[in-house]
Amino acid sequence: MKENLKKVHVKTYGCQMNVYDSEKMVDLLKPHGFESVDTPNEADVVIFNTCHIREKAEQKLYSDLGRVRPLKQEKDLLIGVAGCVAQAEGDEIIRQAPYVDMVFGPQTYHRLPELITKLYRQKEELKESTNLNKSQKRKLRSVVDTDFPVESKFDLLPQTQESRTSAFLSIQEGCDNFCTFCVVPYTRGSEYSRPVTEIVKEAKHLAEMGAKEITLLGQNVNAYHGESPTEPSKEWNLGQLIFEVGKINGIERIRYTTSHPLDMPTELYEAHRDVPALMPFLHLPVQSGSNSILKMMNRQHTAKDYLEVIEKLRKYRPDIAFSSDFIVGFPGESDQDHQDTLSLIKAVEYSQAYSFKYSQRPGTPAAIMEQQIPEEIKVVRLAELQALISEQQLKFNQTFKDKTLKVLVDKTGKKDGQLSGRSEYMQSVYFDGPEEIQGTMCDIKIEHTFTNSLKGLISQTQQTIL
Ligand code: SAH
Ligand code: SF4
Ligand code: F3S
């Protein structure tokens, strides 16, 4: 690779795991003389770390690619497509956008420095060779690497040198559940859990770098079963792991995402009761409240099973707040099925939730099911569901009026002098305060409550300490 400092811009789509992967891509390139920049205009290498979960996410890639294309005429630019669209579409991306130089999947990005070196070498060769035809040149120009390699990328990723108040840590990847609507098992491969020792080491490093909050990540994170630190023939579950991470100095908050309602080991309930750092908030997607739809989705649980998990978690941690994902308009969803989903939402009372119109994904079983639901019906159902969730979210937020919340301050707000952070329950909280308190935990007295955020005042005692 060239000696002078080069610039890389990584744009991330999709879930937190992609955020983690993008951060690691930058970490990987730093020792090779790269620094990270915020826009493609400044960059020598642009990487789109993509998401394949819904059609919209995928379309975004092609429009973004079209936008950076002209930059290639102005300078020596490498364009890369990483992540789940790369894994799912591979060569097709090069066919549609031949100016893309590299396509690589979520399990091969540890090879990125090699890949870039190879491309720079090829570019030199191309400059020298005059007798190649167009297709030979194209072959030389682009590289596609969408293996599921035997080596684990985790063994080869460097520790980050960035300081983050709230950090992500991938502990498990891939998914063996095969929900019929979902591409993840195909794009991320089968389930893999990292050994406990490796995770604890990375968590300690993040804490030393200044992290106060760690979010343990996995596509199906509570199915975690990693090698025990004491007996290599045994495995630990997520609950056991959280007890261990909870002992690390400096880590004041632990979260984990995303969970499947089926994988709830006893130790995980106990962790919610006994590990003070484990936050009283859980994103526990259910997708639908109708048993027949849940069956068609291959979720392998009923609405009642889900409600029982919620109830049990509330027994262990009475103030726990819940969020979920919902899909409306799954094939065959009747009005009654939709009503069942609304009833489940009413029974749980969420503090927030994400909801999506069902999107037909190529290669998934639901995409070819009969009785696809017309767009107009999806739109109406989505609006109805979102109105109910917003109502619940506002109601939840209103319970905090005049109360004091612990807020981990991690951003400046939209207005001058404003700061923002998250409460224990994942609410966005805004307040006025000095910039120096970014990265600290503050007591904020809530004065105004909205659907998507809370606004408050920093407590008097903290102001005098400052
Ligand atoms: N592993 C997580 C979710 C991963 S995908 C889980 O099991 O819950 C994130 C969310 O995207 C899903 O929970 C689902 O609500 C939504 N989603 C996935 N595939 C979808 C599709 N084909 N159409 C619409 N939404 C989808
Ligand atoms: Fe997709 Fe289902 Fe796996 Fe979640 S559990 S990643 S929705 S297949
Ligand atoms: Fe999207 Fe892949 Fe995450 S499809 S949601 S980026 S696992």
Side-chain angles (χ1 to χ4, degrees), residues 102-118:
M102 50 185 171
V103 174
F104 52 99
Q107 306 311 341
T108 51
Y109 71 78
H110 56 284
R111 299 174 182 164
L112 184 57
E114 277 167 59
L115 210 61
I116 292 180
T117 309
K118 186 174 167 189

Side-chain angles (χ1 to χ4, degrees), residues 329-428:
F330 183 83
E333 187 186 66
S334 66
D335 278 337
Q336 184 55 50
D337 293 323
H338 177 59
Q339 289 305 323
D340 289 349
T341 301
L342 300 180
S343 303
L344 178 137
I345 295 172
K346 284 177 192 152
V348 175
E349 296 208 36
Y350 289 98
S351 69
Q352 53 169 279
Y354 300 90
S355 43
F356 314 98
K357 287 181 283 178
Y358 169 70
S359 169
Q360 268 173 292
R361 307 308 290 134
T364 59
I368 49 167
M369 282 180 189
E370 284 167 18
Q371 285 188 281
Q372 296 289 331
I373 303 296
E375 178 68 14
E376 315 84 81
I377 296 185
K378 288 183 190 168
V379 171
V380 173
R381 287 184 185 162
L382 186 69
E384 202 178 348
L385 192 152
Q386 287 184 338
L388 177 58
I389 293 289
S390 294
E391 205 181 284
Q392 293 192 345
Q393 193 170 350
L394 180 63
K395 196 170 144 204
F396 178 76
N397 285 346
Q398 282 169 339
T399 61
F400 294 94
K401 178 138 169 58
D402 300 326
K403 298 221 168 87
T404 298
L405 281 170
K406 287 221 168 309
V407 173
L408 183 57
V409 188
D410 62 353
K411 272 199 236 117
T412 49
K414 285 183 196 113
K415 291 189 193 138
D416 252 8
Q418 211 176 47
L419 294 168
S420 89
R422 297 269 174 185
S423 73
E424 290 178 281
Y425 307 100
M426 260 327 238
Q427 296 143 300
S428 273

Side-chain angles (χ1 to χ4, degrees), residues 167-295:
F168 290 137
L169 202 177
S170 279
I171 65 163
Q172 179 271 353
E173 199 167 357
C175 183
D176 295 337
N177 281 343
F178 290 93
C179 300
T180 54
F181 52 80
C182 182
V183 293
V184 171
Y186 312 97
T187 62
R188 293 270 170 175
S190 59
E191 240 172 68
Y192 168 76
S193 295
R194 297 175 72 189
V196 172
T197 312
E198 213 181 274
I199 294 166
V200 170
K201 190 171 153 212
E202 188 167 341
K204 281 186 178 156
H205 175 77
L206 290 170
E208 279 158 18
M209 295 296 297
K212 293 204 165 66
E213 174 175 88
I214 289 194
T215 304
L216 305 173
L217 297 180
Q219 261 87 32
N220 187 11
V221 74
N222 53 340
Y224 173 82
H225 55 95
E227 187 185 291
S228 149
T230 45
E231 297 163 279
S233 60
K234 297 216 167 117
E235 288 178 338
W236 277 19
N237 63 36
L238 181 63
Q240 293 167 292
L241 176 71
I242 288 174
F243 273 94
E244 202 61 22
V245 176
K247 291 179 196 157
I248 298 173
N249 262 341
I251 299 191
E252 297 177 41
R253 289 183 166 188
I254 302 170
R255 303 182 188 276
Y256 62 95
T257 199
T258 302
S259 304
H260 189 289
L262 265 188
D263 300 294
M264 294 297 300
T266 307
E267 287 86 351
L268 190 53
Y269 288 104
E270 290 168 353
H272 275 287
R273 182 189 61 200
D274 301 334
V275 179
L278 184 58
M279 289 293 98
F281 172 84
L282 184 60
H283 180 62
L284 192 61
V286 64
Q287 317 298 352
S288 168
S290 150
N291 288 336
S292 62
I293 294 297
L294 286 168
K295 194 148 187 249

Side-chain angles (χ1 to χ4, degrees), residues 422-445:
R422 297 269 174 185
S423 73
E424 290 178 281
Y425 307 100
M426 260 327 238
Q427 296 143 300
S428 273
V429 183
Y430 291 87
F431 61 97
D432 288 331
E435 260 196 54
E436 307 83 80
I437 62 170
Q438 265 199 72
T440 65
M441 195 79 77
C442 288
D443 286 334
I444 306 292
K445 184 154 184 251

